[in-house]
Amino acid sequence: MDNTDQKANRGLDFDPEALRAKYQQERDKRLRPDGNRQYIDTTGEYARYAEVDPYVEPGFTRESLTDEVEVAIIGGGFCGLLAGARLREAGVEGIRIIEAGGDFGGTWYWNRYPGCQCDVESYIYLPLIEELGYMPKEKYAYAKEIFEHAKRIATAYRLYDDVCFQTRVTDMRWDESMRRWIIRTNRNDAIKARFVISAVGGVSKAKLPGVPGIETFKGHSFHTTRWDYDYTGGDTTGNLHKLGDKRVAIIGTGATAIQCVPYVGKYAKHTYVFQRTPSFVDLRRNHPTDPNWAETLKPGWQRERATNFAEILSGRPVEVDLVNDGWTDIFRNNIASGFVLSSERAQAAPEDLALRAELADFQKMNSIRARVDQIVDNKKVAEALKPWYRVFCKRPTFNDEYLPTFNRPNVTLVDVSEAKGIERITSKGVVANGVGYPVDCIIYATGFEIGNFIRTARFEIYGREGKKLSEYYQHGLRTLHGHSTSGFPNWFFIGVGQNALSANMTSMFDDQAQHIAYIIKEVRSRGVTAVEATPEAEQQWVETIRSLVAASKDFLRSCTPGYYNNEGDTSSIGIFDQIYTPGINQFNAMLAQWRDKGDLEGLQLLK
Ligand code: NDP
């Protein structure tokens, strides 16, 4: 232990060096040489796990389309909805949203597992509620209400008018002679569009563990992203009465499992939860919306609240914490400075800062582990449920029912950390640590491919002279401010990548939507046909992002594997290698300044 360490160590009721060693040991035992290759796609023989749409009548057909629209938006989740809404506000007609599902909602259309809920406060997570005069029922809204709100936005902004549901884009090509995109789909469409916005979302491509035998299982199985209520009974609120005589295996203990395990545990005859890495689980404290509080809100309140939340999550001091929940608690305690350095904190020596952040992180994680001991009766089970890594190695979760579920006599935690996961699936059930667990049903809560939008989108984009976007991005994204790429005229990206990342995703999508709507409006009013990033501006932005993210690499390298750090392979490019780390408010301020200048700097306009 060096001097700084010893100084900082004074007054601590724990040994930081012992914790560092423990974290490394727990990380090392989970590291796998196959990294992301350990997972299999939900395509081909596994397509039924995630490619089917259980919410529509089979047999939908329609005429193929070859017409022209002003703006095509690919994806009808919150990214696409917000892009559509902000374009409408900018006076754009001729908007067509192309969406694989049978309605709007994206993530909130597909994910309907019991207990599914937003994990950021609904007053800032549900976009446009102030504009639409809607107040969520609870501080953390459940999936059904969020899905309804997605439809509310689509109705209010007339986005149902020209929508193409149950349609998957297969590729899109820029036609220089027409200066239009040609979008081809699995419905044999060849839609012309002047502008295209890719709004394909981040958590739409489910993955399964690549263990032997998945296809041999004779019981029932599904992925959480296509919950099978015909089999379980009930709905998103519970009442899974058909599980009463069933033994169920749930594989995975990430953010999804934390929300659905309490429901399965309550209704199934027996539940086996297969856990490789425990989640950070803090208090949720959900409550109904107080109408008296809602009455006090002044115009502009939602934006003010979201900005206040983002300010805290960027590690900057604020006078009042408006959201005041588990997220802001983490950041108010300085833990995040491993990721983000505020200008105030930048005055201090970097090592001192990093150490303070690490100690605060240890303290928070100690309290999370102590919470497990307080709630879970069986000491061995409690020990297995304790997470040993830093707070932001995985997405923190908040739930009041998850940990008590392990006190139920009909729930068994199976720790598969030593074996780096479940071993295999047989016709009868799951094999883990050499032991067979016969079950009637396997539920895969094994997550999604996150961080590679080209793979998520599942279609190729051919820009000028047939330039392939996947090839152009093979060594990482190349954009100006995350939304435009040279050689791909009139194409915009909305989502995560080379822009600022916020835990409150929808608010950040709205910021991007407003910025893109501004650019499209300007291009239309300036009498030009097309716009794209200049290669120079794009290169400059790529370098800016690369220099900013360098600091987070060491942090991620020390983390337990997961999608945050490419399953431990930090030599390749992951989700956190592509973000503007000073924070969303700084990013928005920079873009606001850029818009105020009015010269569309870094974009070239083509007559
Ligand atoms: P995650 O990727 O977070 O979790 C997948 C789980 O499957 C992990 O526990 C993983 O273990 C486990 N797993 C994978 N392979 C194996 C194996 N071979 N054996 C045993 N276990 C295995 O997916 P989620 O669907 O839970 O969440 C994904 C993201 O979706 C979240 O991080 C969040 O961004 C979003 N989300 C948001 C919610 C909200 O409230 N708004 C709710 C749900 C999800 P290990 O950790 O060891 O890899």
Side-chain angles (χ1 to χ4, degrees):
M1 196 181 297
D2 66 21
N3 284 344
T4 335
D5 228 355
Q6 280 170 8
K7 213 167 102 195
N9 203 357
R10 261 180 296 169
L12 295 176
D13 58 357
F14 59 89
D15 176 0
E17 203 48 53
L19 279 177
R20 272 180 213 123
K22 172 76 174 163
Y23 284 13
Q24 188 173 340
Q25 182 199 345
E26 292 288 329
R27 163 187 167 273
D28 290 351
K29 85 176 181 197
R30 290 178 176 83
L31 272 179
R32 297 173 47 140
D34 50 358
N36 275 316
R37 295 190 314 282
Q38 69 182 280
Y39 296 105
I40 48 175
D41 267 355
T42 47
T43 52
E45 62 182 309
Y46 305 109
R48 73 172 182 86
Y49 284 100
E51 299 301 308
V52 291
D53 186 344
Y55 315 120
V56 291
E57 293 296 323
F60 168 76
T61 55
R62 64 164 168 77
E63 295 280 298
S64 299
L65 296 165
T66 53
D67 59 346
E68 180 170 329
V69 295
E70 182 70 359
V71 185
I73 300 171
I74 304 173
F78 276 125
C79 286
L81 285 165
L82 286 159
R86 296 306 184 187
L87 282 168
R88 282 279 192 252
E89 287 178 348
V92 180
E93 295 298 317
I95 299 172
R96 175 174 295 158
I97 297 189
I98 304 172
E99 162 59 44
D103 207 330
F104 288 104
T107 292
W108 300 102
Y109 174 83
W110 299 113
N111 287 281
R112 304 183 189 193
Y113 58 82
C116 184
Q117 185 186 33
C118 59
D119 70 352
V120 166
E121 187 201 68
S122 51
Y123 313 129
I124 57 170
Y125 181 80
L126 265 60
L128 300 167
I129 56 176
E130 197 180 341
E131 285 86 340
L132 300 182
Y134 179 74
M135 183 49 69
K137 296 188 188 77
E138 289 168 281
K139 187 166 169 84
Y140 302 94
Y142 284 90
K144 190 162 181 284
E145 186 180 5
I146 303 175
F147 178 37
E148 291 303 322
H149 186 63
K151 294 189 275 186
R152 181 177 297 113
I153 294 174
T155 304
Y157 291 89
R158 294 180 288 111
L159 299 172
Y160 278 105
D161 286 1
D162 200 12
V163 70
C164 289
F165 287 134
Q166 300 191 56
T167 303
R168 255 193 196 285
V169 171
T170 50
D171 71 42
M172 53 182 263
R173 285 173 193 271
W174 175 252
D175 184 316
E176 183 64 23
S177 62
M178 287 192 285
R179 294 243 164 131
R180 293 290 181 268
W181 285 99
I182 311 290
I183 303 165
R184 295 190 188 276
T185 76
N186 62 349
R187 302 266 170 209
N188 292 324
D189 303 313
I191 299 163
K192 295 185 214 48
R194 183 172 175 200
F195 300 95
V196 177
I197 302 177
S198 284
V200 293
V203 284
S204 63
K205 193 160 187 287
K207 62 187 187 191
L208 292 168
V211 291
I214 288 196
E215 70 291 351
T216 65
F217 181 56
K218 294 267 189 297
H220 197 71
S221 62
F222 56 88
H223 190 282
T224 50
T225 193
R226 300 289 188 276
W227 193 272
D228 189 348
Y229 285 107
D230 283 344
Y231 181 82
T232 64
D235 57 28
T236 57
T237 64
N239 189 25
L240 312 178
H241 59 94
K242 291 189 183 172
L243 292 183
D245 59 351
K246 303 284 190 294
R247 298 156 303 169
V248 180
I250 299 187
I251 301 179
T253 51
T256 298
I258 299 303
Q259 293 181 338
C260 68
V261 160
Y263 291 83
V264 178
K266 184 171 172 193
Y267 290 98
K269 181 176 165 202
H270 202 96
T271 303
Y272 298 93
V273 180
F274 292 85
Q275 171 194 273
R276 186 163 64 183
T277 312
S279 273
F280 163 121
V281 189
D282 208 348
L283 280 168
R284 177 69 304 172
R285 290 199 184 105
N286 197 12
H287 57 74
T289 301
D290 175 359
N292 296 325
W293 165 78
E295 283 287 303
T296 65
L297 298 168
K298 306 266 182 311
W301 71 268
Q302 192 184 25
R303 168 57 46 185
E304 185 193 347
R305 203 170 171 92
T307 305
N308 175 270
F309 181 78
E311 197 68 357
I312 296 170
L313 266 62
S314 301
R316 264 167 279 274
V318 291
E319 279 182 17
V320 55
D321 175 357
L322 293 171
V323 169
N324 194 18
D325 71 353
W327 281 105
T328 60
D329 171 70
I330 296 171
F331 285 86
R332 276 192 277 110
N333 289 315
N334 287 344
I335 290 167
S337 44
F339 262 149
V340 184
L341 300 180
S342 76
S343 53
E344 293 80 11
R345 293 208 216 112
Q347 311 295 325
E351 316 78 59
D352 192 28
L353 260 177
L355 181 63
R356 275 196 280 157
E358 187 191 31
L359 295 178
D361 196 310
F362 285 148
Q363 262 156 346
K364 181 70 197 177
M365 290 306 282
N366 282 344
S367 77
I368 291 296
R369 290 185 283 264
R371 200 172 161 254
V372 179
D373 278 331
Q374 282 156 19
I375 295 172
V376 178
D377 300 336
N378 181 306
K379 293 283 162 258
K380 200 167 160 230
V381 175
E383 222 35 58
L385 284 164
K386 291 178 187 171
W388 298 98
Y389 47 79
R390 289 185 62 172
V391 176
F392 285 103
C393 284
K394 287 189 177 281
R395 187 163 173 110
T397 72
F398 307 90
N399 193 289
D400 300 336
E401 287 84 38
Y402 178 75
L403 292 173
T405 301
F406 293 94
N407 290 334
R408 301 184 68 98
N410 64 330
V411 175
T412 304
L413 181 76
V414 185
D415 179 352
V416 295
S417 57
E418 295 292 342
K420 303 181 198 293
I422 55 166
E423 202 175 299
R424 63 198 148 92
I425 307 280
T426 65
S427 61
K428 294 195 175 69
V430 181
V431 179
N433 307 326
V435 178
Y437 295 85
V439 290
D440 303 295
C441 176
I442 301 175
I443 301 174
Y444 293 99
T446 43
F448 304 86
E449 274 192 38
I450 297 177
N452 183 337
F453 111 86
I454 300 274
R455 281 184 59 81
T456 308
R458 288 165 264 181
F459 64 86
E460 188 57 82
I461 301 181
Y462 299 90
R464 187 175 294 115
E465 290 154 19
K467 182 170 162 180
K468 275 182 168 181
L469 192 66
S470 62
E471 282 176 7
Y472 194 54
Y473 282 180
Q474 64 182 315
H475 301 299
L477 300 178
R478 298 195 57 80
T479 72
L480 171 66
H481 300 157
H483 57 69
S484 294
T485 290
S486 66
F488 296 83
N490 288 359
W491 174 74
F492 296 91
F493 172 74
I494 177 166
V496 177
Q498 296 200 333
N499 40 34
L501 183 62
S502 165
N504 186 15
M505 294 269 185
T506 52
S507 180
M508 146 190 137
F509 297 148
D510 191 19
D511 301 329
Q512 296 173 21
Q514 293 186 46
H515 189 67
I516 293 167
Y518 164 83
I519 296 171
I520 290 180
K521 186 179 178 189
E522 287 301 307
V523 171
R524 278 160 46 96
S525 68
R526 292 182 192 203
V528 289
T529 55
V531 63
E532 66 183 88
T534 66
E536 299 74 27
E538 178 184 291
Q539 179 59 24
Q540 213 178 350
W541 187 247
V542 170
E543 282 166 21
T544 302
I545 295 289
R546 284 190 186 150
S547 65
L548 286 169
V549 296
S552 66
K553 271 285 190 196
D554 286 346
F555 173 81
L556 289 170
R557 213 169 278 129
S558 71
C559 278
T560 192
Y563 74 85
Y564 274 22
N565 68 355
N566 255 339
E567 299 298 333
D569 174 15
T570 47
S571 61
S572 58
I573 295 159
I575 189 168
F576 287 108
D577 296 316
Q578 318 254 9
I579 58 166
Y580 181 80
T581 55
I584 189 86
N585 288 350
Q586 281 55 43
F587 184 67
N588 287 340
M590 187 195 70
L591 293 189
Q593 255 182 13
W594 183 93
R595 291 193 297 271
D596 286 346
K597 266 176 58 214
D599 59 358
L600 304 182
E601 187 185 356
L603 292 175
Q604 53 185 324
L605 304 180
L606 312 168
K607 283 280 174 211

